[in-house]
């Protein structure tokens, strides 16, 4: 009982430090880890080593993949490929099917781009279409933003999903394939279907969007095929290699090098440098310089992952992690539902979906081992919980409110409800998928 109380107190302290005290998350995680270790009776001399080991172990397996994902996404954005994808989908499907175009745009652009980057990049496009079509801004933009959010929460190489894959010893390729199966029906419900109920909400967008100009003229954007091919390359390659190894298990070892997420992301970035950069006459130095900005943007997330690794290692070395895993496994609740609930609780307290997902990994890791649940599905269940009920402590909530010029009431009615639908239906489809995976 004391061990469980100690963990709850440590997480509560972490919540207070980040949400109320505005302390930098890495420092907050380290302090919470030290407090937890002392309460759990770890020898003081071993505490620093445990925290350092946890930070090194988690970052060591993630930092290159996440950084490559960041520079790849930055190149997709800076080259104009993301905008070309959006424009081509709207042109191809037409104004009559614009909700479908926005849904596909959000999901496709969200695969290579981190959420905040995709949000800022797509906002001018949303309001440009609003003024062209005369449609309500919230109803028109919600499918696109739902696609961005779902890709961010469910799919590698986004930081939370990638960290969870490592923490619960899942398979990156299978998680990606399962994630696509879960994400598509969830997106249809939380995107275009839900958006139909938002037509009465009137937005007052920031004045800058009435005359927003794109930095790159449409005539100078990459080609449509080039943009789609390059943006989706890591997803296609990783998914295809995973399917091959499922159908032909004997090829797992020969393809182990090529199917590594690190190699897939590295090759995808090199292809992007050629297809979106030097192949279009851009100087090599200009193309690769965008990487510096991407690494600056991703560094805060790496610090969060590092801190979470330190806390996770303290829970493991103290023995409480295995103890909690055994106790949770004997609860009369499905392990996937427990993982979702843990992530939801942290999300509501801390606001950040990334922090919620990565912090939950320290609790659900031993639960996966003790319960025998599919670790790939646990990644998705935690991802769904990490997106639940975005409210006033989430930066995404305020970005949406201010960009669209909404009242708090309308922001809760639209944004918060969309994120909650993603969390609830995401879990539902994960549970349904678990039936097929178990039978298989």
């Amino acid at each position: 009982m004391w061990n469980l109380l100690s963990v709850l107190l440590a997480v509560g302290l972490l919540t207070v430090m980040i949400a109320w005290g505005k302390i930098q998350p890495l420092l907050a995680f380290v302090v919470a880890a030290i407090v937890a270790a002392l309460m759990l009776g770890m020898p003081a001399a071993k505490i620093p080593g445990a925290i350092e080991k946890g930070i090194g172990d988690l970052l060591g397996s993630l930092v290159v993949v996440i950084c490559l994902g960041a520079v790849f996404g930055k190149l997709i954005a800076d080259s104009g490929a993301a905008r070309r994808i959006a424009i081509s989908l709207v042109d191809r499907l037409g104004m009559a099917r614009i909700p479908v175009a926005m849904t596909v745009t959000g999901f496709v652009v969200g695969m290579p781009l981190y959420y905040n980057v995709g949000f800022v990049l797509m906002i001018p496009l949303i309001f440009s279409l609003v003024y062209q079509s005369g449609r309500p801004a919230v109803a028109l933009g919600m499918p696109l933003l739902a696609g961005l959010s779902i890709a961010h929460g469910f799919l590698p190489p986004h930081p939370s999903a990638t960290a969870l894959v490592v923490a619960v010893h899942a398979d990156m390729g299978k998680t990606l394939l399962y994630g696509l199966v879960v994400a598509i029906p969830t997106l249809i419900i939380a995107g275009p279907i839900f958006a139909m109920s938002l037509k009465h909400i009137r937005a007052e967008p920031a004045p800058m969007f009435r005359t927003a100009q794109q930095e790159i003229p449409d005539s100078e954007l990459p080609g449509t095929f080039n943009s789609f091919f390059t943006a989706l390359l890591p997803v296609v390659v990783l998914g295809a290699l995973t399917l091959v190894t499922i159908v032909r298990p004997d090829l797992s070892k020969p393809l182990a090098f090529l199917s590594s997420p690190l190699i897939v992301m590295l090759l995808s970035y090199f292809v992007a440098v050629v297809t979106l950069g030097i192949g279009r006459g851009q100087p090599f130095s200009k193309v690769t310089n965008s990487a510096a900005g991407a690494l600056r943007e991703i560094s805060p997330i790496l610090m969060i992952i590092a801190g979470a690794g330190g806390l996770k290692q303290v829970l493991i070395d103290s023995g409480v992690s295995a103890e909690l895993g055994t106790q949770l496994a004997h609860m009369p609740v499905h392990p996937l539902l427990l993982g979702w609930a843990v992530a939801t609780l942290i999300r509501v307290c801390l606001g950040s979906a990334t922090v919620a997902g990565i912090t939950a990994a320290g609790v659900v890791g031993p639960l996966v081992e003790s319960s025998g649940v599919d670790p790939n599905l646990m990644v998705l269940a935690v991802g769904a919980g990490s997106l639940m009920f975005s409210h006033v402590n989430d930066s995404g909530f305020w970005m949406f409110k201010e960009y669209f010029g909404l009242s708090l009431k309308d922001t809760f009615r639209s944004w918060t409800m969309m994120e909650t639908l993603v969390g609830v239906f995401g879990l539902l489809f994960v549970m349904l998928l678990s039936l097929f995976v178990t039978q298989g």
Side-chain angles (χ1 to χ4, degrees), residues 251-267:
L251 294 178
S252 296
K253 287 187 177 180
L255 294 177
F257 175 77
L258 286 178
S259 61
S260 164
L262 186 153
I263 300 302
V264 170
M265 289 308 305
L266 188 62
L267 291 176

Side-chain angles (χ1 to χ4, degrees), residues 308-358:
L311 178 58
K312 174 177 173 285
Q313 193 64 39
V314 163
L315 299 181
I316 292 174
D317 288 359
S318 66
V320 71
S321 189
E323 180 184 330
L324 285 176
T326 302
Q327 292 175 352
L328 290 173
H330 286 87
M331 292 182 67
V333 181
H334 196 284
L336 294 175
L337 181 57
L338 282 174
W340 176 87
V342 170
T344 296
L345 179 61
I346 299 172
R347 160 71 155 177
V348 171
C349 292
L350 295 180
S352 168
T354 301
V355 175
I358 296 171

Side-chain angles (χ1 to χ4, degrees), residues 157-392:
H158 288 275
S160 179
T162 305
L164 279 163
V165 165
V166 173
V168 301
H169 307 293
D171 179 87
M172 193 82 74
K174 284 186 178 180
T175 299
L176 177 60
L177 292 177
Y178 290 171
L180 291 172
V181 172
V182 170
I184 291 172
T186 302
L187 175 57
I188 293 171
I189 294 170
I193 293 179
F194 173 60
M196 294 172 64
S197 69
L198 304 176
K199 294 179 180 178
H200 67 283
I201 296 180
R202 298 298 168 185
E204 293 293 338
M208 63 179 176
F209 293 120
R210 297 184 183 276
T211 57
Q213 299 293 322
Q214 302 293 350
E215 292 183 4
I216 307 175
D218 288 357
S219 60
E220 297 180 14
L221 294 175
T224 300
F225 175 80
N226 187 6
S227 299
F228 274 98
F229 169 79
T230 307
L232 295 178
L233 184 61
V235 176
V236 172
V237 171
L238 191 58
L241 289 172
T242 301
L243 284 176
V244 169
T245 55
I246 291 175
V247 176
R248 292 282 305 275
D250 57 302
L251 294 178
S252 296
K253 287 187 177 180
L255 294 177
F257 175 77
L258 286 178
S259 61
S260 164
L262 186 153
I263 300 302
V264 170
M265 289 308 305
L266 188 62
L267 291 176
S268 298
Y269 176 63
F270 287 155
V271 170
V273 168
V274 174
T275 59
L276 299 179
I278 57 179
R280 298 177 54 241
Q282 299 291 324
F284 182 76
S285 58
K286 180 181 177 181
V287 176
T288 55
N289 277 345
S290 67
L295 295 178
R296 284 194 296 270
E297 293 169 7
I298 201 64
S299 59
I301 294 177
L302 291 176
M303 294 302 98
I304 292 171
I305 293 173
L311 178 58
K312 174 177 173 285
Q313 193 64 39
V314 163
L315 299 181
I316 292 174
D317 288 359
S318 66
V320 71
S321 189
E323 180 184 330
L324 285 176
T326 302
Q327 292 175 352
L328 290 173
H330 286 87
M331 292 182 67
V333 181
H334 196 284
L336 294 175
L337 181 57
L338 282 174
W340 176 87
V342 170
T344 296
L345 179 61
I346 299 172
R347 160 71 155 177
V348 171
C349 292
L350 295 180
S352 168
T354 301
V355 175
I358 296 171
T359 306
V363 178
V364 303
L367 173 62
V368 171
E369 295 181 8
S370 57
S371 67
V373 70
D374 189 305
N376 307 291
L377 295 178
M378 181 60 81
V379 172
L380 300 178
V382 170
S386 73
L387 295 174
M388 278 289 293
F389 198 70
S390 168
H391 61 99
V392 295

Side-chain angles (χ1 to χ4, degrees), residues 119-129 209 212-214 403:
F119 187 106
V120 174
L121 185 69
M122 290 290 104
I123 281 292
L125 173 75
I126 291 173
F127 286 113
S128 173
L129 292 173
F209 293 120
Q213 299 293 322
Q214 302 293 350
Y403 273 103

Side-chain angles (χ1 to χ4, degrees), residues 106-144:
F107 194 56
V108 172
V109 170
M111 288 184 192
L113 294 187
Y114 291 130
Y115 181 80
N116 288 347
V117 176
F119 187 106
V120 174
L121 185 69
M122 290 290 104
I123 281 292
L125 173 75
I126 291 173
F127 286 113
S128 173
L129 292 173
V130 166
Y131 298 130
Q132 290 179 40
S133 66
R135 296 184 181 226
V138 175
L140 187 145
M142 188 58 73
L144 188 151

